[in-house]
Amino acid sequence: MPTESPKPPVRRTRLTPEREGELYEAVLALLREVGYEALTMDAVAARTRSSKATLYRQWKGKPELVASALRHTKPVCLDDIDTGSLRGDLVAMADKADERRMEQDVALMRGLGHAIHRDRDLHRALRELLIEPEMAAMRRMLQRAVDRGEVAPGRPAMEYVGHMMLGGFITRPLIEDCPVDRAYLVRYIDAVVLPALGL
């Protein structure tokens, strides 16, 4: 009896960068409107006139889609910054940040905070797709400062620079009831981050 020939593998067609960007913007808009728990792949498909099959071909599920959207829409890519000094690099981060977008992102991250603690898949996806790549880029930035002789190797605060930057970003609206802006970030870098590194 003849055996069936195997079916050809399903091709995973890549979205264009423009289409991917549209999807990510729609995901973040929905997150701001309804929150993570109420966001569904059906809603994303409807908002973007996509099929759920297309979404699941590109991302395993909602956690991966949300984490990818957050990474893609970040205003600053740390690997693109190399001014020749650590202060220059950190200030360049502040210069590239859009203040209106920062305010939206702070609110978004606060809204995700509860979901991150409840949803292990979201927590894992955010760590793999957003946090770990960012921390690796920050380590490379700091290593360049060590290689240039700006920062002493083994300085204890080096492993906490990411914590300090994120902390200042998230807590200002809570403590001061003010949005994060460039002037605040530069003051924070000069008063907190650089002194902790011995600069």
Side-chain angles (χ1 to χ4, degrees):
M1 183 174 175
T3 58
E4 281 187 26
S5 58
K7 292 181 181 177
V10 176
R11 289 179 56 208
R12 178 181 170 179
T13 56
R14 289 297 305 161
L15 299 171
T16 65
E18 295 77 18
R19 182 63 174 142
E20 200 169 9
E22 290 171 9
L23 281 162
Y24 289 146
E25 289 291 348
V27 168
L28 295 191
L30 280 166
L31 273 174
R32 293 184 187 105
E33 290 168 24
V34 303
Y36 180 79
E37 286 86 355
L39 185 143
T40 65
M41 295 298 259
D42 283 317
V44 174
R47 175 71 61 97
T48 59
R49 296 182 176 84
S50 306
S51 70
K52 276 206 306 182
T54 297
L55 297 179
Y56 280 108
R57 271 199 304 272
Q58 304 297 327
W59 300 277
K60 285 179 8 184
K62 180 169 78 166
E64 290 76 18
L65 176 55
V66 167
S68 297
L70 289 167
R71 178 156 179 75
H72 179 272
T73 55
K74 277 178 63 278
V76 182
C77 177
L78 298 187
D79 280 326
D80 292 341
I81 297 173
D82 187 356
T83 66
S85 76
L86 181 58
R87 183 183 187 277
D89 289 350
L90 294 174
V91 170
M93 288 170 53
D95 287 340
K96 287 175 179 281
D98 173 82
E99 292 177 9
R100 185 184 64 80
R101 188 61 180 257
M102 280 194 293
E103 192 171 353
Q104 291 177 337
D105 289 346
V106 168
L108 192 59
M109 292 308 293
R110 277 204 307 264
L112 278 173
H114 180 66
I116 289 167
H117 291 293
R118 290 175 53 92
D119 189 319
R120 296 302 302 168
D121 290 334
L122 174 62
H123 185 260
R124 175 193 47 74
L126 286 171
R127 286 199 56 76
E128 289 177 4
L129 298 172
L130 180 65
I131 296 167
E132 288 171 6
E134 286 297 291
M135 290 301 98
M138 179 67 74
R139 286 192 293 273
R140 289 189 289 272
M141 181 184 286
L142 292 168
Q143 187 57 51
R144 289 197 303 268
V146 171
D147 295 343
R148 288 189 298 258
E150 288 180 87
V151 178
R155 186 85 186 180
M158 289 215 4
E159 66 180 294
Y160 300 110
V161 172
H163 300 73
M164 286 188 276
M165 293 300 293
L166 184 61
F169 182 75
I170 288 177
T171 58
R172 189 188 197 199
L174 181 65
I175 294 173
E176 300 180 40
D177 195 25
C178 294
V180 176
D181 56 24
R182 181 197 180 276
Y184 164 79
L185 287 175
V186 172
R187 290 197 308 273
Y188 184 81
I189 288 164
D190 286 335
V192 178
V193 181
L194 295 178
L197 294 170
L199 296 176

